[in-house]
Amino acid sequence: AMDRPGLLHDISTALTVNHGNITAINAKTDKGQNISNIHVSVEFDNLTSLSQLIEKVKQVPNVIHIKRI
């Protein structure tokens, strides 16, 4: 994601509002490139919930890429 104030807050809000339970977060920012890499571990009820969570995070401003690992 392109780094900006409130980015982590907006991502965590998108996850928790959609009933995701955040179990871990690791975030690093490259100030030279203004990029943040944020890895989030989330528990969810089912795969439908996962799809909805991914779509909500994609809608967060400045999020460039999201993937399931």
Side-chain angles (χ1 to χ4, degrees):
M2 298 298 295
D3 191 35
R4 65 172 172 81
L7 177 63
L8 184 57
H9 172 267
D10 292 348
I11 290 171
S12 63
T13 298
L15 292 170
T16 56
V17 165
N18 290 284
H19 309 290
N21 180 34
I22 298 171
T23 58
I25 294 178
N26 181 9
K28 289 180 125 182
T29 300
D30 180 333
K31 293 201 182 270
Q33 294 186 356
N34 199 38
I35 297 285
S36 290
N37 289 306
I38 303 170
H39 299 263
V40 182
S41 297
V42 181
E43 293 177 339
F44 49 90
D45 292 335
N46 54 51
L47 288 178
T48 302
S49 295
L50 173 62
S51 296
Q52 292 171 346
L53 289 172
I54 289 172
E55 288 306 313
K56 288 295 181 183
V57 173
K58 284 181 179 178
Q59 294 173 12
V60 172
N62 292 56
V63 170
I64 298 168
H65 181 73
I66 181 170
K67 69 179 176 178
R68 176 183 174 197
I69 300 176

Tab-separated table of all heavy atoms in Angstrom:
chain	number	residue	atom	x	y	z
A	1	ALA	N	0.846	-1.182	0.000
A	1	ALA	CA	0.000	0.000	0.000
A	1	ALA	C	0.886	1.238	0.000
A	1	ALA	O	2.004	1.206	0.506
A	1	ALA	CB	-0.908	0.007	1.220
A	2	MET	N	0.364	2.293	-0.561
A	2	MET	CA	1.044	3.576	-0.462
A	2	MET	C	0.856	4.062	0.976
A	2	MET	O	-0.268	4.123	1.469
A	2	MET	CB	0.460	4.581	-1.451
A	2	MET	CG	0.599	4.179	-2.907
A	2	MET	SD	2.297	4.003	-3.458
A	2	MET	CE	2.887	5.662	-3.308
A	3	ASP	N	1.959	4.377	1.642
A	3	ASP	CA	1.892	4.764	3.045
A	3	ASP	C	1.158	6.090	3.217
A	3	ASP	O	1.254	6.978	2.367
A	3	ASP	CB	3.304	4.870	3.620
A	3	ASP	CG	3.279	5.000	5.125
A	3	ASP	OD1	2.400	4.396	5.760
A	3	ASP	OD2	4.149	5.702	5.676
A	4	ARG	N	0.410	6.192	4.304
A	4	ARG	CA	-0.277	7.428	4.668
A	4	ARG	C	-0.715	7.314	6.119
A	4	ARG	O	-0.857	6.201	6.647
A	4	ARG	CB	-1.484	7.681	3.772
A	4	ARG	CG	-2.580	6.631	3.928
A	4	ARG	CD	-3.847	7.015	3.178
A	4	ARG	NE	-4.815	5.946	3.157
A	4	ARG	CZ	-5.648	5.650	4.148
A	4	ARG	NH1	-5.628	6.331	5.273
A	4	ARG	NH2	-6.510	4.644	4.023
A	5	PRO	N	-0.911	8.440	6.778
A	5	PRO	CA	-1.420	8.387	8.154
A	5	PRO	C	-2.790	7.704	8.187
A	5	PRO	O	-3.652	7.978	7.342
A	5	PRO	CB	-1.541	9.862	8.549
A	5	PRO	CG	-0.576	10.572	7.658
A	5	PRO	CD	-0.615	9.810	6.354
A	6	GLY	N	-2.987	6.804	9.125
A	6	GLY	CA	-4.280	6.145	9.290
A	6	GLY	C	-4.465	4.887	8.457
A	6	GLY	O	-5.507	4.238	8.547
A	7	LEU	N	-3.463	4.507	7.654
A	7	LEU	CA	-3.602	3.327	6.792
A	7	LEU	C	-3.857	2.064	7.600
A	7	LEU	O	-4.809	1.322	7.328
A	7	LEU	CB	-2.358	3.154	5.911
A	7	LEU	CG	-2.342	1.919	5.018
A	7	LEU	CD1	-3.484	1.967	4.000
A	7	LEU	CD2	-0.990	1.797	4.304
A	8	LEU	N	-3.041	1.799	8.590
A	8	LEU	CA	-3.212	0.594	9.408
A	8	LEU	C	-4.559	0.604	10.120
A	8	LEU	O	-5.249	-0.418	10.184
A	8	LEU	CB	-2.067	0.465	10.408
A	8	LEU	CG	-2.061	-0.799	11.254
A	8	LEU	CD1	-2.044	-2.050	10.381
A	8	LEU	CD2	-0.870	-0.793	12.194
A	9	HIS	N	-4.966	1.759	10.604
A	9	HIS	CA	-6.277	1.884	11.249
A	9	HIS	C	-7.396	1.515	10.279
A	9	HIS	O	-8.311	0.763	10.623
A	9	HIS	CB	-6.467	3.319	11.760
A	9	HIS	CG	-7.844	3.583	12.267
A	9	HIS	ND1	-8.840	4.115	11.473
A	9	HIS	CD2	-8.407	3.376	13.475
A	9	HIS	CE1	-9.951	4.219	12.180
A	9	HIS	NE2	-9.712	3.781	13.401
A	10	ASP	N	-7.332	2.040	9.065
A	10	ASP	CA	-8.388	1.775	8.080
A	10	ASP	C	-8.436	0.302	7.693
A	10	ASP	O	-9.519	-0.270	7.532
A	10	ASP	CB	-8.186	2.642	6.837
A	10	ASP	CG	-8.421	4.115	7.119
A	10	ASP	OD1	-8.955	4.454	8.199
A	10	ASP	OD2	-8.063	4.935	6.257
A	11	ILE	N	-7.283	-0.325	7.564
A	11	ILE	CA	-7.250	-1.753	7.225
A	11	ILE	C	-7.809	-2.582	8.378
A	11	ILE	O	-8.645	-3.464	8.162
A	11	ILE	CB	-5.820	-2.194	6.866
A	11	ILE	CG1	-5.411	-1.571	5.528
A	11	ILE	CG2	-5.720	-3.724	6.806
A	11	ILE	CD1	-3.957	-1.761	5.163
A	12	SER	N	-7.374	-2.292	9.594
A	12	SER	CA	-7.877	-3.067	10.736
A	12	SER	C	-9.370	-2.850	10.947
A	12	SER	O	-10.095	-3.793	11.279
A	12	SER	CB	-7.087	-2.754	12.007
A	12	SER	OG	-7.238	-1.415	12.381
A	13	THR	N	-9.842	-1.652	10.691
A	13	THR	CA	-11.286	-1.391	10.802
A	13	THR	C	-12.060	-2.186	9.759
A	13	THR	O	-13.091	-2.794	10.068
A	13	THR	CB	-11.580	0.115	10.645
A	13	THR	OG1	-10.932	0.818	11.702
A	13	THR	CG2	-13.076	0.390	10.685
A	14	ALA	N	-11.568	-2.216	8.514
A	14	ALA	CA	-12.240	-2.985	7.458
A	14	ALA	C	-12.328	-4.461	7.829
A	14	ALA	O	-13.333	-5.119	7.560
A	14	ALA	CB	-11.498	-2.819	6.125
A	15	LEU	N	-11.304	-4.969	8.479
A	15	LEU	CA	-11.306	-6.380	8.873
A	15	LEU	C	-12.241	-6.648	10.040
A	15	LEU	O	-13.023	-7.593	10.010
A	15	LEU	CB	-9.884	-6.824	9.222
A	15	LEU	CG	-8.906	-6.871	8.055
A	15	LEU	CD1	-7.493	-7.090	8.560
A	15	LEU	CD2	-9.299	-7.951	7.058
A	16	THR	N	-12.191	-5.819	11.070
A	16	THR	CA	-12.988	-6.094	12.261
A	16	THR	C	-14.471	-5.785	12.059
A	16	THR	O	-15.320	-6.486	12.608
A	16	THR	CB	-12.457	-5.332	13.487
A	16	THR	OG1	-12.410	-3.940	13.211
A	16	THR	CG2	-11.067	-5.822	13.848
A	17	VAL	N	-14.784	-4.782	11.264
A	17	VAL	CA	-16.189	-4.468	10.982
A	17	VAL	C	-16.861	-5.639	10.264
A	17	VAL	O	-18.044	-5.889	10.430
A	17	VAL	CB	-16.297	-3.168	10.138
A	17	VAL	CG1	-17.665	-3.008	9.516
A	17	VAL	CG2	-15.974	-1.965	11.009
A	18	ASN	N	-16.067	-6.385	9.508
A	18	ASN	CA	-16.592	-7.537	8.779
A	18	ASN	C	-16.338	-8.840	9.526
A	18	ASN	O	-16.262	-9.906	8.924
A	18	ASN	CB	-15.987	-7.567	7.371
A	18	ASN	CG	-16.536	-6.426	6.556
A	18	ASN	OD1	-17.661	-6.479	6.106
A	18	ASN	ND2	-15.755	-5.365	6.403
A	19	HIS	N	-16.206	-8.754	10.843
A	19	HIS	CA	-16.131	-9.888	11.750
A	19	HIS	C	-14.867	-10.731	11.611
A	19	HIS	O	-14.869	-11.905	11.971
A	19	HIS	CB	-17.378	-10.766	11.628
A	19	HIS	CG	-18.649	-9.986	11.734
A	19	HIS	ND1	-19.071	-9.416	12.914
A	19	HIS	CD2	-19.556	-9.624	10.803
A	19	HIS	CE1	-20.192	-8.753	12.700
A	19	HIS	NE2	-20.515	-8.856	11.434
A	20	GLY	N	-13.812	-10.133	11.106
A	20	GLY	CA	-12.523	-10.815	11.121
A	20	GLY	C	-11.868	-10.594	12.472
A	20	GLY	O	-11.996	-9.534	13.069
A	21	ASN	N	-11.200	-11.610	12.994
A	21	ASN	CA	-10.495	-11.496	14.260
A	21	ASN	C	-9.002	-11.425	13.965
A	21	ASN	O	-8.398	-12.421	13.563
A	21	ASN	CB	-10.815	-12.686	15.160
A	21	ASN	CG	-10.103	-12.589	16.492
A	21	ASN	OD1	-9.912	-11.507	17.021
A	21	ASN	ND2	-9.703	-13.726	17.032
A	22	ILE	N	-8.410	-10.257	14.135
A	22	ILE	CA	-6.990	-10.067	13.861
A	22	ILE	C	-6.192	-10.747	14.963
A	22	ILE	O	-6.352	-10.434	16.139
A	22	ILE	CB	-6.636	-8.571	13.775
A	22	ILE	CG1	-7.393	-7.917	12.614
A	22	ILE	CG2	-5.129	-8.389	13.617
A	22	ILE	CD1	-7.277	-6.414	12.573
A	23	THR	N	-5.321	-11.695	14.567
A	23	THR	CA	-4.500	-12.412	15.540
A	23	THR	C	-3.040	-11.968	15.516
A	23	THR	O	-2.314	-12.203	16.463
A	23	THR	CB	-4.579	-13.931	15.308
A	23	THR	OG1	-4.145	-14.227	13.987
A	23	THR	CG2	-6.012	-14.425	15.503
A	24	ALA	N	-2.594	-11.320	14.427
A	24	ALA	CA	-1.222	-10.818	14.344
A	24	ALA	C	-1.117	-9.779	13.231
A	24	ALA	O	-1.817	-9.874	12.224
A	24	ALA	CB	-0.250	-11.952	14.071
A	25	ILE	N	-0.227	-8.798	13.432
A	25	ILE	CA	0.056	-7.790	12.410
A	25	ILE	C	1.564	-7.532	12.403
A	25	ILE	O	2.178	-7.390	13.455
A	25	ILE	CB	-0.675	-6.459	12.669
A	25	ILE	CG1	-2.176	-6.619	12.548
A	25	ILE	CG2	-0.181	-5.378	11.715
A	25	ILE	CD1	-2.960	-5.352	12.833
A	26	ASN	N	2.137	-7.462	11.200
A	26	ASN	CA	3.534	-7.068	11.020
A	26	ASN	C	3.535	-6.028	9.911
A	26	ASN	O	3.090	-6.305	8.801
A	26	ASN	CB	4.393	-8.274	10.642
A	26	ASN	CG	5.848	-7.924	10.478
A	26	ASN	OD1	6.280	-6.824	10.804
A	26	ASN	ND2	6.600	-8.862	9.955
A	27	ALA	N	4.015	-4.830	10.220
A	27	ALA	CA	4.012	-3.750	9.237
A	27	ALA	C	5.403	-3.135	9.117
A	27	ALA	O	6.076	-2.921	10.128
A	27	ALA	CB	2.999	-2.683	9.637
A	28	LYS	N	5.826	-2.887	7.873
A	28	LYS	CA	7.102	-2.218	7.602
A	28	LYS	C	6.851	-1.148	6.555
A	28	LYS	O	6.102	-1.366	5.609
A	28	LYS	CB	8.134	-3.205	7.051
A	28	LYS	CG	8.650	-4.193	8.051
A	28	LYS	CD	9.660	-5.101	7.388
A	28	LYS	CE	10.944	-5.043	8.184
A	28	LYS	NZ	12.006	-5.858	7.589
A	29	THR	N	7.510	-0.013	6.722
A	29	THR	CA	7.370	1.086	5.772
A	29	THR	C	8.718	1.407	5.158
A	29	THR	O	9.719	1.524	5.863
A	29	THR	CB	6.807	2.335	6.465
A	29	THR	OG1	5.520	2.021	7.002
A	29	THR	CG2	6.659	3.484	5.502
A	30	ASP	N	8.735	1.554	3.842
A	30	ASP	CA	9.912	2.034	3.118
A	30	ASP	C	9.646	3.504	2.828
A	30	ASP	O	8.909	3.843	1.896
A	30	ASP	CB	10.101	1.246	1.824
A	30	ASP	CG	11.310	1.690	1.027
A	30	ASP	OD1	11.721	2.863	1.148
A	30	ASP	OD2	11.835	0.868	0.258
A	31	LYS	N	10.196	4.378	3.642
A	31	LYS	CA	9.921	5.810	3.502
A	31	LYS	C	10.442	6.371	2.186
A	31	LYS	O	9.866	7.296	1.635
A	31	LYS	CB	10.488	6.564	4.689
A	31	LYS	CG	9.776	6.220	5.980
A	31	LYS	CD	9.974	7.292	7.015
A	31	LYS	CE	9.296	6.910	8.300
A	31	LYS	NZ	7.940	7.356	8.386
A	32	GLY	N	11.536	5.790	1.667
A	32	GLY	CA	12.081	6.256	0.399
A	32	GLY	C	11.119	6.057	-0.758
A	32	GLY	O	11.024	6.882	-1.662
A	33	GLN	N	10.396	4.936	-0.734
A	33	GLN	CA	9.424	4.648	-1.790
A	33	GLN	C	7.990	4.930	-1.359
A	33	GLN	O	7.058	4.757	-2.141
A	33	GLN	CB	9.554	3.193	-2.242
A	33	GLN	CG	10.868	2.905	-2.912
A	33	GLN	CD	10.922	1.495	-3.470
A	33	GLN	OE1	10.017	0.683	-3.314
A	33	GLN	NE2	12.002	1.199	-4.159
A	34	ASN	N	7.808	5.320	-0.075
A	34	ASN	CA	6.490	5.621	0.471
A	34	ASN	C	5.534	4.425	0.372
A	34	ASN	O	4.353	4.557	0.061
A	34	ASN	CB	5.880	6.857	-0.208
A	34	ASN	CG	4.766	7.461	0.624
A	34	ASN	OD1	4.859	7.507	1.847
A	34	ASN	ND2	3.724	7.923	-0.031
A	35	ILE	N	6.084	3.226	0.618
A	35	ILE	CA	5.314	1.979	0.530
A	35	ILE	C	5.275	1.314	1.903
A	35	ILE	O	6.278	1.271	2.607
A	35	ILE	CB	5.970	0.998	-0.471
A	35	ILE	CG1	5.977	1.583	-1.877
A	35	ILE	CG2	5.310	-0.363	-0.452
A	35	ILE	CD1	4.652	1.569	-2.570
A	36	SER	N	4.115	0.774	2.263
A	36	SER	CA	3.974	-0.027	3.478
A	36	SER	C	3.628	-1.454	3.089
A	36	SER	O	2.746	-1.677	2.254
A	36	SER	CB	2.860	0.514	4.368
A	36	SER	OG	3.232	1.740	4.931
A	37	ASN	N	4.341	-2.404	3.679
A	37	ASN	CA	3.995	-3.815	3.550
A	37	ASN	C	3.399	-4.238	4.877
A	37	ASN	O	4.062	-4.155	5.916
A	37	ASN	CB	5.240	-4.658	3.237
A	37	ASN	CG	5.726	-4.417	1.839
A	37	ASN	OD1	4.961	-4.548	0.895
A	37	ASN	ND2	6.981	-4.052	1.699
A	38	ILE	N	2.151	-4.663	4.836
A	38	ILE	CA	1.433	-5.015	6.058
A	38	ILE	C	0.947	-6.454	5.924
A	38	ILE	O	0.193	-6.783	5.009
A	38	ILE	CB	0.245	-4.069	6.301
A	38	ILE	CG1	0.743	-2.620	6.360
A	38	ILE	CG2	-0.502	-4.458	7.567
A	38	ILE	CD1	-0.363	-1.582	6.365
A	39	HIS	N	1.423	-7.300	6.836
A	39	HIS	CA	1.006	-8.699	6.866
A	39	HIS	C	0.077	-8.869	8.064
A	39	HIS	O	0.447	-8.538	9.195
A	39	HIS	CB	2.218	-9.616	7.003
A	39	HIS	CG	3.172	-9.484	5.853
A	39	HIS	ND1	3.153	-10.355	4.788
A	39	HIS	CD2	4.133	-8.575	5.590
A	39	HIS	CE1	4.084	-9.987	3.928
A	39	HIS	NE2	4.694	-8.897	4.383
A	40	VAL	N	-1.127	-9.386	7.796
A	40	VAL	CA	-2.133	-9.526	8.844
A	40	VAL	C	-2.609	-10.965	8.894
A	40	VAL	O	-2.937	-11.551	7.859
A	40	VAL	CB	-3.347	-8.598	8.573
A	40	VAL	CG1	-4.369	-8.701	9.690
A	40	VAL	CG2	-2.904	-7.158	8.372
A	41	SER	N	-2.644	-11.535	10.092
A	41	SER	CA	-3.253	-12.857	10.294
A	41	SER	C	-4.655	-12.629	10.841
A	41	SER	O	-4.832	-11.893	11.821
A	41	SER	CB	-2.432	-13.687	11.283
A	41	SER	OG	-1.148	-13.938	10.771
A	42	VAL	N	-5.624	-13.256	10.190
A	42	VAL	CA	-7.025	-13.034	10.544
A	42	VAL	C	-7.752	-14.365	10.654
A	42	VAL	O	-7.579	-15.247	9.813
A	42	VAL	CB	-7.734	-12.177	9.463
A	42	VAL	CG1	-9.180	-11.914	9.840
A	42	VAL	CG2	-6.991	-10.879	9.233
A	43	GLU	N	-8.553	-14.516	11.698
A	43	GLU	CA	-9.457	-15.656	11.810
A	43	GLU	C	-10.818	-15.215	11.297
A	43	GLU	O	-11.232	-14.072	11.496
A	43	GLU	CB	-9.598	-16.088	13.267
A	43	GLU	CG	-8.337	-16.652	13.868
A	43	GLU	CD	-8.505	-17.007	15.339
A	43	GLU	OE1	-9.426	-16.480	16.002
A	43	GLU	OE2	-7.691	-17.808	15.814
A	44	PHE	N	-11.519	-16.117	10.622
A	44	PHE	CA	-12.830	-15.800	10.060
A	44	PHE	C	-13.701	-17.039	10.120
A	44	PHE	O	-13.217	-18.148	10.335
A	44	PHE	CB	-12.700	-15.284	8.623
A	44	PHE	CG	-11.829	-16.165	7.764
A	44	PHE	CD1	-12.373	-17.205	7.045
A	44	PHE	CD2	-10.461	-15.969	7.715
A	44	PHE	CE1	-11.580	-18.034	6.293
A	44	PHE	CE2	-9.653	-16.785	6.952
A	44	PHE	CZ	-10.211	-17.825	6.236
A	45	ASP	N	-15.009	-16.843	9.928
A	45	ASP	CA	-15.972	-17.936	10.083
A	45	ASP	C	-15.924	-18.948	8.946
A	45	ASP	O	-16.038	-20.139	9.165
A	45	ASP	CB	-17.398	-17.379	10.198
A	45	ASP	CG	-17.595	-16.612	11.499
A	45	ASP	OD1	-16.866	-16.893	12.467
A	45	ASP	OD2	-18.466	-15.734	11.529
A	46	ASN	N	-15.800	-18.462	7.703
A	46	ASN	CA	-15.855	-19.364	6.553
A	46	ASN	C	-15.236	-18.687	5.340
A	46	ASN	O	-14.851	-17.522	5.398
A	46	ASN	CB	-17.302	-19.781	6.276
A	46	ASN	CG	-18.217	-18.585	6.119
A	46	ASN	OD1	-17.928	-17.679	5.342
A	46	ASN	ND2	-19.309	-18.565	6.867
A	47	LEU	N	-15.144	-19.402	4.220
A	47	LEU	CA	-14.520	-18.834	3.025
A	47	LEU	C	-15.310	-17.676	2.436
A	47	LEU	O	-14.730	-16.782	1.835
A	47	LEU	CB	-14.308	-19.926	1.976
A	47	LEU	CG	-13.203	-20.933	2.306
A	47	LEU	CD1	-13.107	-21.996	1.221
A	47	LEU	CD2	-11.868	-20.245	2.490
A	48	THR	N	-16.615	-17.681	2.617
A	48	THR	CA	-17.414	-16.545	2.154
A	48	THR	C	-17.006	-15.295	2.914
A	48	THR	O	-16.838	-14.224	2.331
A	48	THR	CB	-18.921	-16.819	2.339
A	48	THR	OG1	-19.265	-17.996	1.612
A	48	THR	CG2	-19.759	-15.659	1.864
A	49	SER	N	-16.815	-15.437	4.218
A	49	SER	CA	-16.364	-14.302	5.021
A	49	SER	C	-14.994	-13.830	4.562
A	49	SER	O	-14.733	-12.629	4.494
A	49	SER	CB	-16.292	-14.686	6.503
A	49	SER	OG	-17.565	-14.966	7.013
A	50	LEU	N	-14.108	-14.758	4.217
A	50	LEU	CA	-12.784	-14.386	3.738
A	50	LEU	C	-12.888	-13.559	2.464
A	50	LEU	O	-12.246	-12.526	2.333
A	50	LEU	CB	-11.930	-15.629	3.477
A	50	LEU	CG	-10.575	-15.358	2.821
A	50	LEU	CD1	-9.702	-14.484	3.706
A	50	LEU	CD2	-9.887	-16.663	2.488
A	51	SER	N	-13.708	-13.981	1.533
A	51	SER	CA	-13.890	-13.237	0.280
A	51	SER	C	-14.402	-11.829	0.553
A	51	SER	O	-13.948	-10.864	-0.057
A	51	SER	CB	-14.853	-13.968	-0.644
A	51	SER	OG	-14.318	-15.207	-1.021
A	52	GLN	N	-15.337	-11.709	1.468
A	52	GLN	CA	-15.884	-10.398	1.818
A	52	GLN	C	-14.823	-9.528	2.490
A	52	GLN	O	-14.722	-8.326	2.202
A	52	GLN	CB	-17.097	-10.558	2.733
A	52	GLN	CG	-18.286	-11.178	2.040
A	52	GLN	CD	-19.407	-11.535	3.007
A	52	GLN	OE1	-19.225	-11.572	4.214
A	52	GLN	NE2	-20.570	-11.830	2.447
A	53	LEU	N	-14.001	-10.132	3.362
A	53	LEU	CA	-12.926	-9.386	4.017
A	53	LEU	C	-11.928	-8.855	2.999
A	53	LEU	O	-11.527	-7.693	3.046
A	53	LEU	CB	-12.192	-10.275	5.021
A	53	LEU	CG	-12.938	-10.656	6.290
A	53	LEU	CD1	-12.145	-11.699	7.064
A	53	LEU	CD2	-13.186	-9.444	7.155
A	54	ILE	N	-11.550	-9.696	2.050
A	54	ILE	CA	-10.593	-9.283	1.022
A	54	ILE	C	-11.150	-8.122	0.206
A	54	ILE	O	-10.461	-7.143	-0.060
A	54	ILE	CB	-10.200	-10.476	0.129
A	54	ILE	CG1	-9.317	-11.443	0.930
A	54	ILE	CG2	-9.485	-10.009	-1.140
A	54	ILE	CD1	-9.028	-12.755	0.235
A	55	GLU	N	-12.414	-8.213	-0.181
A	55	GLU	CA	-13.019	-7.133	-0.968
A	55	GLU	C	-13.068	-5.830	-0.184
A	55	GLU	O	-12.847	-4.757	-0.745
A	55	GLU	CB	-14.418	-7.544	-1.443
A	55	GLU	CG	-14.394	-8.596	-2.528
A	55	GLU	CD	-13.531	-8.211	-3.724
A	55	GLU	OE1	-13.655	-7.072	-4.225
A	55	GLU	OE2	-12.710	-9.045	-4.139
A	56	LYS	N	-13.363	-5.901	1.109
A	56	LYS	CA	-13.412	-4.684	1.926
A	56	LYS	C	-12.027	-4.048	2.053
A	56	LYS	O	-11.890	-2.832	1.982
A	56	LYS	CB	-13.982	-4.975	3.316
A	56	LYS	CG	-15.454	-5.243	3.306
A	56	LYS	CD	-16.223	-4.003	2.884
A	56	LYS	CE	-17.701	-4.262	2.901
A	56	LYS	NZ	-18.472	-3.128	2.437
A	57	VAL	N	-10.996	-4.860	2.231
A	57	VAL	CA	-9.648	-4.313	2.355
A	57	VAL	C	-9.207	-3.712	1.022
A	57	VAL	O	-8.545	-2.674	0.997
A	57	VAL	CB	-8.652	-5.380	2.854
A	57	VAL	CG1	-7.223	-4.864	2.821
A	57	VAL	CG2	-9.017	-5.815	4.273
A	58	LYS	N	-9.592	-4.305	-0.095
A	58	LYS	CA	-9.258	-3.752	-1.411
A	58	LYS	C	-9.847	-2.355	-1.600
A	58	LYS	O	-9.320	-1.552	-2.362
A	58	LYS	CB	-9.773	-4.657	-2.531
A	58	LYS	CG	-8.963	-5.899	-2.757
A	58	LYS	CD	-9.553	-6.705	-3.904
A	58	LYS	CE	-8.766	-7.957	-4.189
A	58	LYS	NZ	-9.371	-8.746	-5.275
A	59	GLN	N	-10.938	-2.056	-0.897
A	59	GLN	CA	-11.597	-0.758	-1.020
A	59	GLN	C	-10.941	0.328	-0.166
A	59	GLN	O	-11.263	1.511	-0.313
A	59	GLN	CB	-13.073	-0.889	-0.643
A	59	GLN	CG	-13.853	-1.751	-1.612
A	59	GLN	CD	-15.277	-1.999	-1.136
A	59	GLN	OE1	-15.756	-1.370	-0.203
A	59	GLN	NE2	-15.961	-2.930	-1.784
A	60	VAL	N	-10.027	-0.051	0.723
A	60	VAL	CA	-9.344	0.931	1.569
A	60	VAL	C	-8.450	1.791	0.674
A	60	VAL	O	-7.668	1.257	-0.118
A	60	VAL	CB	-8.512	0.234	2.672
A	60	VAL	CG1	-7.665	1.236	3.426
A	60	VAL	CG2	-9.431	-0.526	3.629
A	61	PRO	N	-8.562	3.120	0.777
A	61	PRO	CA	-7.710	3.996	-0.043
A	61	PRO	C	-6.225	3.697	0.156
A	61	PRO	O	-5.788	3.458	1.276
A	61	PRO	CB	-8.057	5.402	0.469
A	61	PRO	CG	-9.444	5.262	1.027
A	61	PRO	CD	-9.490	3.873	1.612
A	62	ASN	N	-5.488	3.688	-0.947
A	62	ASN	CA	-4.041	3.479	-1.000
A	62	ASN	C	-3.637	2.004	-0.982
A	62	ASN	O	-2.463	1.707	-1.113
A	62	ASN	CB	-3.284	4.241	0.087
A	62	ASN	CG	-3.333	5.729	-0.098
A	62	ASN	OD1	-4.416	6.309	-0.176
A	62	ASN	ND2	-2.191	6.373	-0.175
A	63	VAL	N	-4.575	1.064	-0.777
A	63	VAL	CA	-4.222	-0.354	-0.844
A	63	VAL	C	-4.023	-0.707	-2.311
A	63	VAL	O	-4.885	-0.463	-3.149
A	63	VAL	CB	-5.304	-1.251	-0.198
A	63	VAL	CG1	-5.050	-2.723	-0.499
A	63	VAL	CG2	-5.341	-1.014	1.304
A	64	ILE	N	-2.849	-1.258	-2.613
A	64	ILE	CA	-2.493	-1.579	-3.986
A	64	ILE	C	-2.683	-3.068	-4.272
A	64	ILE	O	-3.154	-3.445	-5.337
A	64	ILE	CB	-1.013	-1.195	-4.255
A	64	ILE	CG1	-0.838	0.311	-4.067
A	64	ILE	CG2	-0.571	-1.619	-5.660
A	64	ILE	CD1	0.618	0.738	-4.014
A	65	HIS	N	-2.327	-3.906	-3.310
A	65	HIS	CA	-2.333	-5.342	-3.549
A	65	HIS	C	-2.685	-6.071	-2.272
A	65	HIS	O	-2.271	-5.675	-1.178
A	65	HIS	CB	-0.934	-5.774	-4.025
A	65	HIS	CG	-0.811	-7.227	-4.337
A	65	HIS	ND1	-1.358	-7.791	-5.454
A	65	HIS	CD2	-0.210	-8.221	-3.664
A	65	HIS	CE1	-1.091	-9.065	-5.459
A	65	HIS	NE2	-0.392	-9.371	-4.381
A	66	ILE	N	-3.466	-7.132	-2.391
A	66	ILE	CA	-3.804	-7.983	-1.250
A	66	ILE	C	-3.803	-9.419	-1.748
A	66	ILE	O	-4.239	-9.697	-2.864
A	66	ILE	CB	-5.168	-7.594	-0.623
A	66	ILE	CG1	-5.468	-8.475	0.578
A	66	ILE	CG2	-6.274	-7.636	-1.629
A	66	ILE	CD1	-6.669	-8.014	1.402
A	67	LYS	N	-3.275	-10.320	-0.927
A	67	LYS	CA	-3.308	-11.727	-1.317
A	67	LYS	C	-3.438	-12.604	-0.092
A	67	LYS	O	-3.041	-12.236	1.011
A	67	LYS	CB	-2.082	-12.121	-2.118
A	67	LYS	CG	-0.787	-12.144	-1.365
A	67	LYS	CD	0.348	-12.578	-2.259
A	67	LYS	CE	1.683	-12.515	-1.529
A	67	LYS	NZ	2.772	-12.970	-2.364
A	68	ARG	N	-4.003	-13.772	-0.333
A	68	ARG	CA	-4.143	-14.790	0.709
A	68	ARG	C	-2.921	-15.684	0.654
A	68	ARG	O	-2.524	-16.132	-0.422
A	68	ARG	CB	-5.404	-15.599	0.454
A	68	ARG	CG	-5.589	-16.726	1.422
A	68	ARG	CD	-6.819	-17.520	1.055
A	68	ARG	NE	-6.927	-18.687	1.904
A	68	ARG	CZ	-7.681	-19.721	1.629
A	68	ARG	NH1	-8.393	-19.723	0.520
A	68	ARG	NH2	-7.729	-20.739	2.435
A	69	ILE	N	-2.351	-15.939	1.805
A	69	ILE	CA	-1.185	-16.834	1.873
A	69	ILE	C	-1.557	-18.081	2.625
A	69	ILE	O	-2.199	-18.051	3.605
A	69	ILE	CB	0.015	-16.137	2.548
A	69	ILE	CG1	0.397	-14.919	1.747
A	69	ILE	CG2	1.165	-17.090	2.687
A	69	ILE	CD1	1.496	-14.099	2.354
